[in-house]
Amino acid sequence: WNEGGWLDIPLGKNKKILEPLKCTFPFETKSLDSYPSSCKTTSVGSGSEFFVLEADDVTPDLKQTVTRTSGSSDSCRTVVIMVCNYVVDHIGSILFEEVAPSDNTARRSSSTRSSINSSFLDSSPPFSAFSSRLHRRRVSLLPRSSNLIRLVQLTMDGDEGMKRSVPFRIEDVSMTEGIDAMPILWMDTTPTGFFLYRHLTTEGSELHVVPEYVVFNGSNDVIVVKQLSKNPFSLDSSKIYPIERDRNNSIVVQFDIPSLNALTGPVQIDKVGLRICVARSKSTGEALGSLAVQTVIGARDSRLVIKIGSFNAGEEQSTESSVSSSLFEHDLIRFRVRWSEMRVTLKDTSFGENEKYEENRAAIRKYLEHHNINSSEVEQRLAEARKDYNKMIDKKRDVFPEVAQILLHRFTVDFQRIFKDNEPKSKGVLSSNE
């Protein structure tokens, strides 16, 4: 399990391991017999790598862990076993194996993934999975970041009993969790429904393989999730469980609440959004209440999370219409419509204006010359003449030619939604531990 056959640790007060010792947890002999290709080539490792070093040489983020687990004094010699790369399995049924390409493709860049896939000939036995108390999930040890690995899952299809993914390198995995996690494909390029992301550590990388969807039960009741052509599963309060797409590339489920003998109708939940599912009695068909189901972007445990809120028990109603209308009772929606218009017309009034003005002045002169009247009478007569002239102009104003017309038109609609002021009896959606 190391190159020299023995692991030499120098003893003595002033003796230390000068550099980390590379070792290997070997595969079992019967596992190697099932993978004869790994015995014929040295390009594939013979086990899981680990390193042995002094406790004083570990990085600061591990010193506290080493001190807590060893519980020894300064006079006691402490040696640490460290792994650079490992993967946390959030699904519970995934293994990994190391693969090696042929000699002519081993020299190519990792960017030419399509040409490398068909040339993999050798693979190691799957790496062992261990139970981790820290992560509360299965953990597998991985080789160095530049080595090629692939995902393995047991299946009832085919003769071999295993499905394998397209190979990849640890250093190529996305460092962003949630919606931006890296998708994994099977060897036939079909989606696996699994995604990968990694966290950088001082020693190497911590990979996480997560499902695309998990269901989180945020209610206080045990809920049974039923999916077409899939086995139903029971979900306790505040627990999560992975769920996959069906053959139609969607997720359509029903929620069964055994404590209330209630069942919801089929609802599609694979798209982001909020849905209200009416739960009805399985014996009478009467509406008993509703469940709020919300699909949101995930974080550590999955790419997307389907959250089930608390059961909202409704009041007894005599008819179905009254049950559905009670959901919006005391809610208001207020509309306001604004419709404004202004029309501006430009007419040419300059034609013949000077001639009409001169005619008016000539008529006034003739009137003053032929009539000997005082000034007050002149002013009165002039006022009457101006009034008659203005009336005449107003009548003729409609016949002026139109030059241009400007129409200012605007139609707007806005609305306000006013919801109930009173607090609901139970919350529709609860936050998960994502």
Side-chain angles (χ1 to χ4, degrees), residues 18-60:
L18 299 181
E19 60 182 12
L21 302 177
K22 179 183 176 181
C23 305
T24 303
F25 289 122
F27 295 119
E28 293 185 359
T29 305
K30 60 180 181 179
S31 298
L32 294 175
D33 294 339
S34 302
Y35 290 80
S37 60
S38 62
C39 301
K40 299 177 183 179
T41 178
T42 59
S43 60
V44 177
S46 58
S48 301
E49 292 182 352
F50 69 95
F51 296 88
V52 179
L53 67 161
E54 298 286 343
D56 296 336
D57 295 335
V58 300
T59 54

Side-chain angles (χ1 to χ4, degrees), residues 280-295:
R280 299 181 179 275
S281 173
K282 291 191 288 185
S283 57
T284 63
E286 181 183 2
L288 302 178
S290 61
L291 280 176
V293 182
Q294 186 177 22
T295 304

